Amino acid sequence: MSHTTASPLRRVGIATGLSLLGILFGILLSIPAILVQMNVLTQFVAAFVLSELGFVAAALVFLRLTDREFEYLNVRMPTLRAVGFVVGGTVALFVFRLVAILAAQALGLPLAGNSVTQLAEEGLLETLLVLVPLSILVVGPAEEILFRGVIQRYLGETFSEVTAILVASVLFALVHFPTMYIATPDLFAVGVTMVILFGLSILLGYLYVWTENLVVPILVHGLYDALLFALAYIALSQGLVESMAVAGF
């Protein structure tokens, strides 16, 4: 895989291929968890973690084939300034999501759920609690390593920062399509939700550009998801909402 002379179009193709490779690796890695006999919650968590590691595997394949070192990802200890971006970024993601959800509801637009919301609504609320720490330890790192650390930075070597962020965000939203469509087989609802994910991804992309430290979007992504799952657990367990998708979770 040549990387020094790759054309812009080829870079987009490689970025798309890495996204698909992440999904493929995730499916292959999660097969053992699906085949082994265990209770529903344990099976879901095992399959979920392994599927997320598929994104890490795709990133490692890229680094290996392009002779890049791990330092390429810009993973560094956060400074006090970076911590400020983590706090501000997490708040910004919540504000954006709240505005987007309220706008969708005001316009009467449907929202899609995913495999997590499906299990929670079927009574396995423990799924949400387990995903609180997993969001920080697994989801944030796995997805940001591939989409910000590899794909966005790789595209940024040829494209402008804005274009790199936009393309990486499109791919980020698209990889979530399968789980959303399985839970909510409504293309319109899935499309609306993907637009929201696209916007959230853009914010994460700019955090990476502004700080040049992958740890920042990793922590923001992880904390955002963790808080979202915690709030969803409280809302469902207390009977405040009946549907997570309708409530915007």
Side-chain angles (χ1 to χ4, degrees):
M1 183 188 296
S2 174
H3 56 88
T4 56
T5 59
S7 67
L9 184 60
R10 186 181 181 190
R11 284 180 184 265
V12 172
I14 291 173
T16 303
L18 286 171
S19 300
L20 295 174
L21 190 63
I23 295 175
L24 177 60
F25 280 157
I27 293 173
L28 294 176
L29 288 171
S30 63
I31 288 176
I34 296 173
L35 295 179
V36 174
Q37 292 293 326
M38 58 184 81
N39 65 61
V40 176
L41 179 59
T42 303
Q43 187 175 59
F44 170 79
V45 171
F48 179 82
V49 171
L50 291 171
S51 66
E52 286 291 322
L53 293 180
F55 295 126
V56 178
L60 292 177
V61 166
F62 171 83
L63 294 177
R64 175 66 177 174
L65 294 182
T66 59
D67 296 321
R68 287 174 165 87
E69 301 295 331
F70 183 76
E71 288 73 17
Y72 180 80
L73 302 176
N74 283 333
V75 176
R76 297 189 299 275
M77 286 293 294
T79 61
L80 186 60
R81 173 176 176 271
V83 172
F85 271 103
V86 170
V87 175
T90 304
V91 172
L93 258 64
F94 265 96
V95 171
F96 173 83
R97 185 184 183 90
L98 177 61
V99 172
I101 295 299
L102 291 176
Q105 292 177 340
L107 294 172
L109 301 177
L111 296 169
N114 52 43
S115 56
V116 176
T117 63
Q118 196 172 30
L119 277 178
E121 289 175 3
E122 290 173 357
L124 289 175
L125 288 178
E126 296 85 357
T127 304
L128 298 174
L129 288 181
V130 172
L131 287 176
V132 171
L134 290 182
S135 294
I136 299 172
L137 299 174
V138 179
V139 179
E143 296 187 5
E144 292 306 306
I145 282 173
L146 180 60
F147 290 97
R148 245 58 63 183
V150 168
I151 290 177
Q152 181 178 312
R153 184 167 184 193
Y154 179 65
L155 292 171
E157 293 172 0
T158 297
F159 296 102
S160 67
E161 290 178 345
V162 173
T163 301
I165 290 172
L166 291 176
V167 175
S169 295
V170 168
L171 295 174
F172 177 82
L174 287 174
V175 298
H176 290 84
F177 174 84
T179 56
M180 287 192 294
Y181 186 75
I182 290 173
T184 310
D186 180 337
L187 286 175
F188 187 54
V190 171
V192 172
T193 307
M194 285 177 62
V195 170
I196 296 175
L197 284 177
F198 173 72
L200 292 169
S201 182
I202 288 177
L203 291 172
L204 290 168
Y206 272 108
L207 285 171
Y208 186 40
V209 169
W210 290 333
T211 61
E212 296 183 336
N213 186 353
L214 188 61
V215 171
V216 173
I218 282 177
L219 289 176
V220 171
H221 188 159
L223 288 170
Y224 167 80
D225 281 357
L227 290 171
L228 198 62
F229 287 132
L231 290 173
Y233 174 81
I234 294 172
L236 283 172
S237 63
Q238 297 300 315
L240 301 178
V241 297
E242 295 181 359
S243 171
M244 291 174 66
V246 171
F249 290 116

